[in-house]
Amino acid sequence: DIVMTQSPDSLAVSLGERATLNCKSSQSVLYSSNNKYYIAWYQQKPGQPPKLLIYWASTRASGVPDRFSGSGSGTDFTLTISSLQAEDVAVYYCQQYYSTPPTFGPGTKVDIK
Amino acid sequence: QVQLVQSGAEVKKPGASVKVSCKASGYTFTGHYMHWVRQAPGQGLEWMGWINPKSGGTNYAQKFQGRVSMTRDTSLSTVYMELSRLRSDDTAVYYCARDLWVDILTIVPDLWGQGALVTVSS
């Protein structure tokens, strides 16, 4: 199974500031035939199910604000929240769907400083 | 309204089975694969498997092989996940989650049920 790691475990950012969350896969998740990275990002608020934010490493899901962006290459990926809002307090998970079973990272908790 | 509505919380004894339902509405039920993902208290997300509502075909994570069964009833637009031989470490919130694309399996869930807490305790 592909192991996903995330850093930091938690971070506190001031309102309006940038938050940068990191995710690393234990092996390549690039599918050479379509040149796409099989990485997704989810946001989970307390007591709620996860919400899909990003897929193909950088494509925003429908309705996701443009302050959320995904990037990365190789085995290192980043979710950036360009201007943190109060409603962004949550745990963020990355996931690989390159191979079965799909696996999730342990999550990064984002709080307000 | 596009949504997945799951059955309620359950309390089971070790060794018992649990069956969780997930009713889809607002979209073509047979058009999207459905996944089951669980989350132990305070822990991360664990994928359990998928079912193709159109064909009934399934694929389970190796960890759950022999203990899990996913079925569907197209007349009710409902999928079911049954987990048997329950242990205390099966205590978790169980989510059904719809795959993103129509008729294509990607294992990117874009629509999630509200979750069903299953507690395994003697």
Side-chain angles (χ1 to χ4, degrees):
Chain A
D1 298 0
I2 296 177
V3 177
M4 306 298 292
T5 56
Q6 291 185 243
S7 62
D9 294 336
S10 63
L11 78 163
V13 176
S14 300
L15 289 172
E17 296 301 304
R18 177 184 300 261
T20 302
L21 290 67
N22 302 301
C23 172
K24 187 176 182 69
S25 57
S26 62
Q27 64 189 72
S28 174
V29 293
L30 174 65
Y31 196 41
S32 55
S33 66
N34 59 10
N35 202 36
K36 289 184 182 293
Y37 288 101
Y38 282 50
I39 291 290
W41 288 91
Y42 301 84
Q43 174 194 66
Q44 187 176 33
K45 298 180 180 179
Q48 295 185 19
K51 173 188 176 183
L52 176 65
L53 296 177
I54 301 282
Y55 55 96
W56 299 136
S58 62
T59 301
R60 267 188 302 275
S62 176
V64 174
D66 61 6
R67 66 179 180 272
F68 292 94
S69 63
S71 63
S73 62
T75 59
D76 294 289
F77 303 92
T78 299
L79 175 70
T80 301
I81 309 173
S82 61
S83 175
L84 191 76
Q85 305 300 303
E87 62 265 32
D88 300 335
V89 169
V91 178
Y92 293 82
Y93 295 96
C94 62
Q95 177 220 340
Q96 68 80 18
Y97 50 102
Y98 178 84
S99 66
T100 300
T103 46
F104 295 84
T108 291
K109 185 176 182 180
V110 175
D111 274 319
I112 304 295
K113 185 186 291 182
Chain B
Q1 182 180 1
V2 179
Q3 62 180 355
L4 301 173
V5 178
Q6 298 184 228
S7 49
E10 304 256 16
V11 179
K12 296 292 182 180
K13 293 194 182 302
S17 298
V18 68
K19 191 171 187 177
V20 181
S21 68
C22 170
K23 183 173 177 61
S25 61
Y27 72 94
T28 301
F29 173 69
T30 53
H32 295 256
Y33 286 74
M34 196 76 81
H35 305 281
W36 289 90
V37 177
R38 76 177 186 178
Q39 186 170 37
Q43 302 301 308
L45 301 164
E46 182 176 34
W47 178 81
M48 300 179 68
W50 56 253
I51 180 168
N52 181 342
K54 183 179 294 183
S55 67
T58 56
N59 185 28
Y60 306 137
Q62 187 169 9
K63 174 177 180 175
F64 300 101
Q65 292 272 1
R67 279 210 305 144
V68 71
S69 175
M70 297 177 189
T71 56
R72 95 293 192 210
D73 184 332
T74 55
S75 68
L76 296 177
S77 297
T78 299
V79 295
Y80 305 90
M81 187 283 299
E82 184 169 22
L83 189 62
S84 62
R85 302 193 301 277
L86 289 168
R87 307 184 293 256
S88 57
D89 62 357
D90 291 318
T91 294
V93 175
Y94 288 78
Y95 294 103
C96 59
R98 185 190 75 170
D99 205 292
L100 176 60
W101 301 109
V102 174
D103 290 335
I104 297 174
L105 175 65
T106 55
I107 316 188
V108 179
D110 74 323
L111 176 69
W112 295 64
Q114 82 275 20
L117 174 63
V118 175
T119 302
V120 183
S121 173
S122 55

